């Protein structure tokens, strides 16, 4: 068991190299209470299409009765987007419903009416997870609806080489977010078990839980759990100073003491990253056999009497959680899903909680800065030192504004993590993140058009080659059928060309031969009588 404290001097040097900001955290209000279980809502909503995921196709229809944990929908590849029932009940509709995205759009949604019985499907727990092979652990993770590509990074790892380290990201540096801290305070021992399972699944040699220094209660809970858990003796805790944002590359740098090149792919970095929620979900999936049906969500804001962290069932409307916290609708100015810097405004209280819903903020008037008209960029470069990825936000802004796709690509727009640090420090209040999201959409649309054009070109070329091949085969077949007639007695090479005159002559010759044979047959039949036979008679 180890409790590691990073060197403040070395981390300060890394911070200067990687940059970032230190906004007010606004975390204390939601940490006053313990992690709460929520009562069962009457209706649960399960969107079939979410941003960044393949659309799921329903496996049930309205009128079907379902059990808790039953698979309701799945994507075509079977693993990218699995939707499970959060409780037992009846599917009442498949209809358009508000979904959580920055555009406030609606999408096809399964609506489940809870029956209040909370009846489970048959589960298959693992009695001894330490004896399970890594492939079985990964299979259980996939079947539980935990997306490896977005949640724990196992599928991104190059399994040809063994990873050196597994990093559990418990930093949670964005303002208002306290879900991970509340989860660690209540379930530190289960988190260590999940970390051990992930370490076994990816084959990492070490496992480090990275957490910031202001989370003293969570650090104490981890310290106590590490002392009590002898089987997790190889897990370490590293305490880092708080700074927003800390990207994956920065975290790997801080933990390993190295520096990850920007162009290096994730599979070659020697580290696998997972967050706290995913680690807990992995523990439930492998040991208990339960799919991911809930997540810890922070519900906060100055319009709430009692901000809390809830273990919210997936599909729960945000309005239901706000009612549990005693919302004051009269003072509500803005409803945000996600953090104050990376979140987006919600336009409906019926938007459901999904696997990526870390926080819901019911902000009062004055809690967030009032919207102001953005001014022109004065190229003050205040945004440059704040970018954690080392981009040039002012140049990217001009490239997106002028629709210069070549400059967007050259300035590495796709590397932007949309943390909002540049917009936070901009003196002219330019919504840089919105511009960058729009630029990414343009690049994505252009990439899809290029991919579609290449696909169509390949299909056209394949069709052209197929038609040429079929034409050649037909020509060859015709030549073979003429040069090699079915009647082996016919050896006339003149059959290679057709002539009506020759055909008539051949038919006339054939008729003449038949008539000649008939005449010859008649002469043989009419022979003269023998005179001796006539005399004897």
């Amino acid at each position: 068991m180890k409790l590691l404290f990073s060197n403040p001097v070395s981390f300060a040097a890394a911070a200067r190299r990687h940059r970032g900001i230190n906004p007010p955290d606004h975390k204390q209000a939601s940490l006053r209470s313990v992690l709460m279980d929520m009562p069962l809502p009457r209706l649960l909503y399960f969107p079939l299409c979410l941003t960044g995921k393949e659309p799921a196709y329903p496996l049930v229809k309205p009128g079907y009765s379902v059990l808790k944990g039953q698979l309701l929908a799945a994507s075509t590849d079977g693993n990218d987007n699995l939707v499970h029932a959060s409780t037992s009940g009846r599917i009442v509709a498949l209809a358009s419903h508000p979904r959580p995205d920055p555009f406030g759009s609606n999408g096809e949604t399964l609506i489940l009416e809870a029956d209040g019985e909370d009846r489970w499907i048959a589960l298959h727990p693992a009695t001894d997870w330490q004896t399970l092979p890594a492939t079985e652990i990964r299979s259980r993770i996939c079947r539980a609806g935990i997306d490896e590509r977005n949640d724990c990074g196992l599928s991104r790892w190059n399994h040809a080489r063994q990873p050196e380290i597994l990093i559990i990201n418990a930093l949670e540096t964005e303002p208002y977010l306290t879900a991970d801290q509340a989860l660690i305070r209540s379930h530190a021992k289960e988190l260590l078990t999940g970390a051990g399972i992930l370490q076994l699944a990816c084959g990492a040699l070490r496992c480090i839980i990275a957490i910031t220094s202001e989370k003293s209660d969570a650090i104490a809970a981890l310290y106590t759990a590490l002392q009590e858990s002898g089987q997790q003796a190889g897990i370490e805790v590293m305490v880092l100073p708080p700074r927003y944002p800390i990207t994956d590359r920065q975290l790997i740098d801080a933990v390993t003491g190295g520096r990850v090149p920007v162009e290096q792919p994730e599979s070659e970095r020697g580290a696998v990253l997972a967050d706290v929620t995913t680690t807990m979900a992995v523990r439930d999936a492998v040991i208990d056999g339960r799919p991911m049906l809930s997540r810890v969500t922070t519900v906060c804001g100055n319009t709430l009497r009692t901000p809390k962290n809830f273990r919210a069932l997936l599909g729960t409307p945000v309005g239901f959680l706000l009612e549990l916290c005693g919302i004051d609708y009269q003072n509500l100015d803005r409803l945000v899903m996600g953090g104050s810097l990376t979140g987006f405004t919600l336009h409906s209280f019926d938007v459901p909680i999904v696997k990526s819903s870390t926080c819901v903020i019911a902000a009062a008037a004055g809690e967030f800065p009032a919207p102001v008209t953005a001014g022109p960029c004065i190229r003050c470069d205040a945004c440059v030192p704040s970018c954690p990825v080392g981009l040039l936000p002012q140049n990217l802004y001009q490239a997106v504004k002028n629709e210069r796709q070549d400059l967007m690509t050259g300035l590495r727009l796709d590397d932007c993590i949309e943390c909002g640090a540049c917009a936070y420090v901009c003196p002219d209040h330019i919504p840089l993140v919105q511009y960058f999201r729009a630029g990414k959409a343009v690049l994505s649309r252009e990439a899809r058009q290029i991919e579609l054009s290449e696909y169509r070109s390949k299909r056209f070329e394949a069709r052209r080659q197929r038609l040429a091949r079929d034409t050649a085969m037909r020509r060859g077949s015709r030549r073979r059928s003429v040069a090699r007639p079915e009647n082996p007695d016919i050896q006339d090479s003149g059959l290679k060309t057709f002539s009506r005159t020759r055909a008539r002559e051949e038919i006339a010759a054939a008729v003449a031969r038949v008539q000649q044979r008939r005449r010859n047959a008649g002469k043989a039949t009419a022979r003269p009588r023998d005179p001796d036979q006539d005399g004897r008679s």
Side-chain angles (χ1 to χ4, degrees), residues 295-310:
R295 68 149 297 129
V296 177
T297 301
T298 303
V299 184
C300 57
N302 290 343
T303 62
L304 304 179
R305 287 196 294 271
T306 55
K308 292 183 178 67
N309 283 282
F310 286 104

Side-chain angles (χ1 to χ4, degrees), residues 72-130:
L72 302 180
S75 57
T76 52
D77 62 3
N79 290 326
D80 184 60
N81 188 10
L82 298 181
V83 180
H84 295 86
S86 301
T87 186
S88 60
R90 185 173 62 91
I91 303 296
V92 295
L94 174 60
S96 178
H97 188 80
R99 60 181 181 180
D101 66 11
F103 311 104
S105 60
N106 292 358
E108 197 173 28
T109 303
L110 282 170
I111 303 176
L112 170 64
E113 183 180 21
D115 58 11
E117 299 179 7
D118 216 28
R119 291 173 291 124
W120 276 91
I121 60 172
L123 300 178
H124 303 283
T127 55
D128 188 5
W129 63 267
Q130 294 177 332

Side-chain angles (χ1 to χ4, degrees), residues 249 284 308 316 328 336 395 435:
R249 189 168 67 251
D284 295 340
K308 292 183 178 67
T316 302
D328 182 5
V336 177
N395 293 346
Y435 275 98

Side-chain angles (χ1 to χ4, degrees), residues 158-330:
N158 181 7
H159 295 279
R161 52 172 292 196
Q162 188 178 25
E164 299 176 4
I165 188 170
L166 168 67
I167 302 175
I168 308 300
N169 186 352
L171 300 176
E172 203 172 39
T173 58
E174 187 171 3
Y176 289 94
L177 271 61
T178 59
D180 290 351
Q181 185 173 352
L183 188 57
I184 294 174
R185 291 192 312 184
S186 303
H187 302 284
K189 188 177 297 185
E190 289 82 355
L191 176 66
L192 296 182
T193 304
I197 295 173
L198 276 178
Q199 187 176 3
L200 179 60
C202 66
L205 303 178
R206 300 171 60 199
C207 177
I208 290 182
I209 301 175
I211 190 169
T212 50
S213 57
E214 84 280 4
K215 299 179 175 64
S216 56
D217 49 358
I219 295 173
L222 285 174
Y223 182 79
T224 303
L226 281 170
Q227 286 184 321
E228 296 175 353
S229 302
Q231 68 273 20
Q232 280 88 26
I235 299 178
E236 307 169 10
V237 177
M238 177 171 283
V239 181
L240 302 175
R243 187 173 183 83
Y244 177 83
I246 299 180
T247 64
D248 290 350
R249 189 168 67 251
Q250 288 178 267
L251 181 55
I252 296 174
D253 287 359
V255 171
T256 62
R259 185 169 184 177
V260 180
V262 175
E263 65 277 0
Q264 187 177 24
E266 294 183 1
S267 61
E268 302 296 333
R269 293 179 180 177
V272 178
L273 276 74
D275 59 36
V276 173
T277 299
T278 299
T279 306
M280 289 294 298
V282 166
R283 183 262 174 204
D284 295 340
V286 175
I287 294 181
D288 299 332
R290 295 184 297 176
M292 187 174 180
L293 305 181
S294 64
R295 68 149 297 129
V296 177
T297 301
T298 303
V299 184
C300 57
N302 290 343
T303 62
L304 304 179
R305 287 196 294 271
T306 55
K308 292 183 178 67
N309 283 282
F310 286 104
R311 188 178 286 102
L313 294 177
L314 300 182
T316 302
V318 297
F320 184 80
L321 297 177
L322 297 175
E323 290 285 349
L324 296 177
C325 294
I327 183 173
D328 182 5
Y329 289 103
Q330 298 296 328

